[in-house]
Amino acid sequence: MTAARGDAAAGLTGGAVAPDPAAAGPLGANRLVRAFAALRAERRCALIPYIMAGDPDVSTTERLVETLVDSGASAVELGVPFSDPIADGPINQRAGLRAMAQGMGIRAALDLVARLRTRTQVPLLVMTYYNLILRYGPGKFARDAASAGLDGLIAADLPPDAAGDLTGEARRSGLATVFMAAPTSTPERIRAVAASSTGFVYCVSRTGVTGVQDALPEGLPELVRRIRAETPSPICVGFGISRPAQAREVAKVADGVIVGSALVQMIEDTPRDVARAGAFVRDLAAAIADA
């Protein structure tokens, strides 16, 4: 298997049914939705690297995104820093502080997306916290995000039963929403997450915050099966996947692999060594292709 590039993206595994762009209304043109629909036919797994927007600086983030895409990323997730990042571990928290020092925020992130959109059509997502969206205005955010070329939003601290205003505005603007299901989620919560997720369901591999880990949780395949039993939506697994071998194992059961903290740590260690980050993503893509 070959990891996908750009909006052609990678394929789905595990028999999941991706959203049908033709039936998606305003989401029909969404790059993320279309990518997962295309993935289904090829039955390949998506690779979604996460980096913090503005770390170490905005121009390097732009170079990183282009390099990650060239190295096999199916989509790219951009963190937008927040002062109380309850879902983030120490690595991402430090990256957030560096990004805030560079002036990164919601408006700056959308401007970054708009500039990237002139050079790539890869699906782009933002992961942030709802206070920033609420302060900006959910409707204005959805419209401005779609206008900039953003495809998806993850508000890490927003439960689906409190997200009605945001998901409605997002659907009308053609912006996909992604909510999280965790090992502690009940079937009812998983159904609520799936109903509100128009991009994919984010499967949090473990309890706790983001960060690297030496081994995957033993219960991860069962967690993915529990989620798949409740929804036909694509399932992407994140939190703690930091090595190619781990990505390969996740790709055997899920539709997408999200790798963040290991890449963010690499950027902290060698801030402007874009080629090193690209090599790491190529290794991840190769491992997923072998799954």
Side-chain angles (χ1 to χ4, degrees):
M1 292 186 292
T2 303
R5 305 282 175 97
D7 62 356
L12 300 178
T13 62
V17 178
D20 179 2
L27 285 166
N30 183 284
R31 296 171 193 81
L32 186 65
V33 173
R34 294 179 68 86
F36 273 108
L39 303 174
R40 177 176 49 187
E42 299 180 11
R43 300 183 65 80
R44 292 186 297 154
C45 183
L47 171 60
I48 306 177
Y50 165 99
I51 58 175
M52 182 66 72
D55 176 39
D57 54 53
V58 174
S59 63
T60 302
T61 299
E62 293 183 27
R63 292 171 53 216
L64 278 166
V65 170
E66 292 182 285
T67 299
L68 301 182
V69 173
D70 289 343
S71 300
S74 311
V76 177
E77 185 181 323
L78 297 167
V80 176
F82 178 54
S83 58
D84 186 20
I86 60 173
D88 286 313
I91 295 172
N92 286 357
Q93 288 183 21
R94 292 195 299 271
L97 291 174
R98 293 191 294 270
M100 284 192 281
Q102 294 290 324
M104 183 51 61
I106 290 292
R107 185 62 259 176
L110 296 182
D111 291 342
L112 168 64
V113 168
R115 289 194 298 276
L116 288 168
R117 195 49 80 205
T118 65
R119 303 198 292 275
T120 178
Q121 293 302 305
V122 73
L124 296 171
L125 301 93
V126 156
M127 179 174 175
T128 189
Y129 293 86
Y130 188 58
N131 269 354
L132 295 180
I133 305 296
L134 188 62
R135 190 183 311 158
Y136 193 93
K140 178 175 170 54
F141 173 80
R143 292 188 296 274
D144 288 356
S147 178
L150 188 70
D151 300 297
L153 169 68
I154 305 167
D157 57 344
L158 183 65
D161 52 359
D165 290 345
L166 178 61
T167 55
E169 296 285 1
R171 283 179 185 270
R172 283 188 286 276
S173 297
L175 179 68
T177 48
V178 175
F179 289 86
M180 294 180 169
T184 54
S185 296
T186 63
E188 291 77 15
R189 172 50 63 94
I190 292 172
R191 281 194 289 273
V193 165
S196 297
S197 297
T198 54
F200 57 85
V201 172
Y202 194 129
C203 173
V204 177
S205 73
R206 63 183 187 188
T207 56
V209 297
T210 61
V212 298
Q213 60 187 356
D214 292 332
L216 295 172
E218 291 184 0
L220 178 59
E222 176 58 25
L223 175 59
V224 173
R225 280 194 290 271
R226 284 178 53 213
I227 297 172
R228 206 179 291 288
E230 302 292 343
T231 176
S233 297
I235 300 167
C236 298
V237 177
F239 280 47
I241 303 167
S242 51
R243 300 173 183 170
Q246 294 171 337
R248 181 184 300 113
E249 291 305 305
V250 172
K252 293 177 181 177
V253 298
D255 306 307
V257 180
I258 302 169
V259 178
S261 294
L263 187 56
V264 174
Q265 179 67 66
M266 194 173 292
I267 294 167
E268 179 179 82
D269 294 341
T270 52
R272 291 174 179 77
D273 192 347
V274 175
R276 184 185 180 206
F280 177 57
V281 169
R282 278 196 299 276
D283 289 344
L284 292 169
I288 290 172
D290 287 340

